[in-house]
């Protein structure tokens, strides 16, 4: 008999749901056993990137000092370019995307950073994207999903920032045409999954 329309889609969604469930379980097991904070953050970032199809990502951790709360840039991963990162801190305030995610304790999903930078994005957001990494490497951050990491007491203890969701996860982003062809916005499902992982 002939397949009914949409059967392939249903199977694909079921397979995707099983994969996502397995990844969430793997993170839960790792959280229970891993004591090295850097390894744990690296694993959480890697799994977030895999489950959402992100090409790159970073983790920031909230620190308290005499001047108030700051975000420490702890680690970065990128499939398409080598990342030589150094730790640095920025204040927790509404001028940065990661700072706003801490203050609001909610994900920030930006489909196209070019519109944000050009002022085309409307609404109360006044932050800008720092393009220094892009300028140094030729890498182009297009779509971005920033999710707060929550403690058991629902305090924001850090931020995971995912960059450039890809149509096909195996593709590398090197030439300008790669970014045009492969990068898409993070969808609602990606946002839900990343937030679920970060909240663990």
């Amino acid at each position: 008999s002939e397949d009914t329309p949409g059967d392939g889609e249903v199977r694909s969604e079921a397979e995707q749901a099983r994969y996502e469930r397995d990844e969430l379980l793997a993170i839960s097991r790792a959280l229970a056993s891993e004591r090295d904070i850097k390894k744990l953050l690296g694993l959480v970032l890697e799994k977030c990137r895999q489950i959402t199809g992100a090409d790159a990502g970073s983790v920031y951790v909230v620190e308290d000092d005499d001047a108030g709360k700051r975000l420490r840039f702890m680690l970065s991963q990128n499939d398409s370019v080598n990342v030589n990162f150094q730790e640095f801190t920025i204040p927790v305030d509404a001028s940065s995307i990661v700072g706003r995610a801490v203050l609001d304790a909610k994900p920030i999903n930006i489909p196209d950073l070019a519109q944000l930078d050009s002022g085309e994005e409307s609404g109360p957001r006044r932050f800008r994207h720092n393009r220094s990494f892009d300028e140094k490497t030729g890498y182009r951050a297009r779509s971005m999903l920033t999710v707060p990491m929550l403690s058991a007491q629902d305090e924001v203890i850090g931020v995971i920032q995912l960059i450039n969701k890809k149509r096909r996860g195996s593709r590398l982003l090197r030439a300008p045409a790669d970014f045009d062809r492969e990068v898409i916005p993070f969808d609602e499902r990606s946002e839900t999954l990343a937030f679920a992982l970060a909240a663990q």
Side-chain angles (χ1 to χ4, degrees):
S1 67
E2 289 182 28
D3 284 344
T4 57
D7 273 359
E9 247 176 68
V10 171
R11 280 195 298 272
S12 173
E13 284 181 20
E15 288 168 6
Q16 183 65 23
R18 276 195 297 277
Y19 167 74
E20 291 163 357
R21 183 200 63 220
D22 290 347
E23 290 300 301
L24 289 169
L25 287 170
I27 284 290
S28 294
R29 285 193 292 271
L31 284 170
S33 61
E34 185 59 68
R35 295 291 174 253
D36 183 318
I37 189 68
K38 270 227 162 154
K39 282 184 186 173
L40 182 58
L41 291 173
L43 180 62
V44 170
L45 178 58
E46 180 185 338
K47 292 297 185 186
C48 270
R49 290 176 51 236
Q50 284 176 1
I51 210 165
T52 61
D55 186 58
S58 303
V59 174
Y60 297 77
V61 174
V62 176
E63 297 179 342
D64 277 309
D65 62 23
D66 295 338
K69 289 190 176 189
R70 297 187 68 79
L71 278 162
R72 179 170 296 278
F73 178 74
M74 289 286 288
L75 63 102
S76 187
Q77 298 171 358
N78 191 311
D79 286 342
S80 296
V81 298
N82 289 328
V83 179
N84 295 317
F85 80 93
Q86 294 180 324
E87 289 188 16
F88 63 86
T89 64
I90 58 171
V92 172
D93 62 33
S95 66
S96 69
I97 298 167
V98 289
R100 177 62 66 87
V102 172
L103 294 173
D104 292 349
K106 288 193 283 194
I108 298 172
N109 190 345
I110 301 172
D112 187 350
L113 285 161
Q115 290 183 354
L116 177 73
D117 291 344
S118 69
E120 290 175 37
E121 284 266 327
S122 58
R125 297 187 289 206
R126 294 288 180 263
F127 42 68
R128 297 188 68 75
H129 171 56
N130 182 343
R131 291 226 173 251
S132 58
F133 177 78
D134 299 30
E135 288 161 7
K136 277 187 239 170
T137 63
Y139 190 79
R140 297 180 179 191
R142 281 255 173 105
S143 59
M144 179 181 284
L145 176 60
T146 306
V147 292
M149 293 188 291
L150 302 176
S151 72
Q153 293 75 37
D154 283 337
E155 290 179 62
V156 180
I157 56 173
V159 172
I160 296 172
Q161 189 164 71
L162 303 171
I163 299 167
N164 289 342
K165 179 176 177 68
K166 296 186 285 190
R167 288 182 197 282
R168 292 165 287 188
S170 60
R171 296 295 173 119
L172 297 181
L173 305 176
R174 299 271 167 77
D178 297 334
F179 294 89
D180 294 338
R181 185 174 51 248
E182 296 296 332
V183 177
I184 58 175
F186 288 92
D187 55 13
E188 193 174 324
R189 188 171 194 152
S190 295
E191 190 173 319
T192 301
L193 288 167
F195 193 48
L197 277 176
Q200 292 190 48

